[in-house]
Amino acid sequence: MLALVFLGLLATTDAYIWPSPKLDALESLRFDLDRHSFASLLKPCDLFISDGSNSGRSNAADWIRNAYHDMATYNNADGSGGMDGSIRFAEEQSRAENAGDGFKNTAKVLFQEANRYISVADAFAIGAIMAIENCGGPDIAFRGGRVDAAVANSPGVPEPEQDLDSHIASFARQGFTPTEMISLVACGHTFGGVQRDPFPDIVPEVNDANNTESVLHFDTTNVHFDNNVATEYISGTTQNPLVVGFNDTTNSDKRIFGSDGNVTMRSFANDPTLYASTCAELFARMLDTVPKGVQLTEVIVPLPVKPDGVLFSLDGDTLKLSGQLRIWNTTNGSRTVRLLWDDRVGGANNFTLFSLKVNNNAPRTPAAWYLFAPTPPRTSFIPLDPVAGMTTMRFSVDGMLEDQGGVGFAVDDRVVFSESSCRTSASSTNLAARYDVAPFNSQVRNGVNPTRVYLEEDTFNDVPLSVVIETDIPPPTQPIVPNPAYKIWSVEVSVNLTNPNDIIKYSIGAEINGVKITDNGKHILTDLPLCPGVSS
Ligand code: HEM
Ligand SMILES: *[C@@H]1O[C@H](CO)[C@@H](O)[C@H](O)[C@H]1NC(C)=O
Ligand SMILES: *[C@@H]1O[C@H](CO)[C@@H](O)[C@H](O)[C@H]1NC(C)=O
Ligand SMILES: *[C@@H]1O[C@H](CO)[C@@H](O)[C@H](O)[C@H]1NC(C)=O
Ligand SMILES: *[C@@H]1O[C@H](CO)[C@@H](O)[C@H](O)[C@H]1NC(C)=O
Ligand SMILES: *[C@@H]1O[C@H](CO)[C@@H](O)[C@H](O)[C@H]1NC(C)=O
Ligand SMILES: *[C@@H]1O[C@H](CO)[C@@H](O)[C@H](O)[C@H]1NC(C)=O
Ligand SMILES: *[C@@H]1O[C@H](CO)[C@@H](O)[C@H](O)[C@H]1NC(C)=O
């Protein structure tokens, strides 16, 4: 009883305090589906790659299998393997236990969402959760903080021709009991099926214009989460190729589902709610099976009121603030939302935000978005006095104060992008630009003496692992002072594109009193205007 009460409390009180760049990014990828292009690949649920619904395959099924195969290398005995993104390596993809191109397809999409805050393994976990939740499944608790492996794991994914004892041993190594094995296979195999190309001995050519890759599906609703995998199995009508395949050696689902005398499968067939809750728990455990030493975050729940993309930039003697505010779980975009803020000179200020849209795209829950812009939006920013700047935001929603229980929403205006940045070359392949950065001027006001200011490029090394490449911006020899508050530091960067479609973007970073800060901006090189005197 006590334990239940405690759990109930946890579920309602563990929202984190904004800003927390890693949690902000994970929360956004988990909940703001309309912000991330991968989510459109699940609409509709039978979509495969970006444009096909007639292949017999689906992104949703690929992404779920991808997560299981990433995890299935886990070894309970020494804590090695597990969800660590190692399925992205060609070495793992080329093993017989990982037959098919589903892993390559999945990595291509979900890799795009990874960065310094979101590991590839976290992106894989979120992809699987989104596939399940969007396509009829239960809510799944998500924790972040998976760490990407630098090398392939030892093999360990079960294969259909192995016998029951091997499968029981394999799931035990992964941390699951024989009953949990039955459940987890039944939960995974509500999606997708077996394809002919990687499994020609299991699947014949089906000659169906709506199933061009010849996939025999595990149940009749193979892009929808439901207990049909169990009802069809128990009623004896199943077409599951791993149950009724002509070669009994590869009928692994038949051996697994029947291994407890059908007790588990019958309970799932009789009770769709039990099936869904069991799957929600086991999927979460599967995704949270990580190498020893990896510390996952608390379960990430959506912030009720969340600033997003908050960014300062300096335009001469105007300090511009751009950003958005998300109000979770509402369809009402007509509230009066004010940004109230404290500044560096003791002022109390407010600005009424522009109602942008109500987004019904979130997995289940609608959200209303308000833009840091006037109504009607004559600009896409709030103009500030650079001397006063801004230290803490609060919001008032129809007069109700939202300030994270009194702490407010802290912002950092000490080192900002300057809009005097410009391209020094008009070439489309040999890109060159001058980036101007404006540290708050310590000669005017006490405060800021950055030891370093630099551009940050969020990228991947050859492994591939996420890395941030820093390009130092030297202090100016002759201070350029656009206004009384800031001075300008600048650096010229030059990049030769190997792929003309690559987009080069930088964040602004600085080290102040030994602490690194970043604006998390995405200052795109080709979006900069040409410098004076440069012709296109
Ligand atoms: C003994 C354990 C298991 C065996 C032998 C097994 C075997 C297979 C095989 C042979 C395929 C066909 C793959 C293809 O043609 O691309 C498949 C597909 C799939 N498996 Fe499993 N599986 C097992 C457990 C699991 C588990 C635990 C999950 C997830 C929780 C899972 C999720 C999936 C999904 C979603 C697909 C469909 C992929 C698609 O249609 O693209 N499997 N499985
Ligand atoms: C393919 O699916 C469409 C839409 O569900 C259906 O109208 C058509 O008859 C199907 N074609 C074949 C060959 O099964
Ligand atoms: C059945 O599958 C096993 C394992 O893939 C294979 O060795 C065997 O030759 C197959 N039997 C037939 C009759 O195809
Ligand atoms: C489990 O159910 C299936 C389908 O009804 C049946 O064919 C099989 O014999 C059952 N197995 C056991 C061990 O009861
Ligand atoms: C959304 O808000 C309603 C009340 O307005 C509440 O009943 C519901 O539980 C909330 N849903 C979520 C997912 O927070
Ligand atoms: C939305 O909120 C506004 C402001 O509180 C209120 O006047 C309006 O009635 C609400 N609309 C709906 C549909 O609840
Ligand atoms: C907003 O600021 C104006 C002055 O600019 C002030 O009159 C008004 O009371 C303020 N509103 C709130 C909610 O603080
Ligand atoms: C880009 O290519 C040009 C011409 O080949 C070369 O002069 C320049 O050094 C290269 N720049 C970089 C950053 O590699």
Side-chain angles (χ1 to χ4, degrees), residues 18-19 310 312 321 342 390-393 409-414:
W18 187 98
V310 173
F312 291 100
L321 176 71
D342 301 339
M390 183 183 283
T391 54
T392 308
M393 306 188 291
F409 296 83
V411 293
D412 194 336
D413 66 358
R414 291 176 297 174

Side-chain angles (χ1 to χ4, degrees), residues 26 29-30 38 118 121-131 142 287:
L26 288 164
L29 190 65
R30 170 76 177 84
F38 82 99
I118 299 174
D122 279 344
F124 284 170
I126 289 176
I129 288 176
M130 288 302 135
F142 170 72
L287 299 173

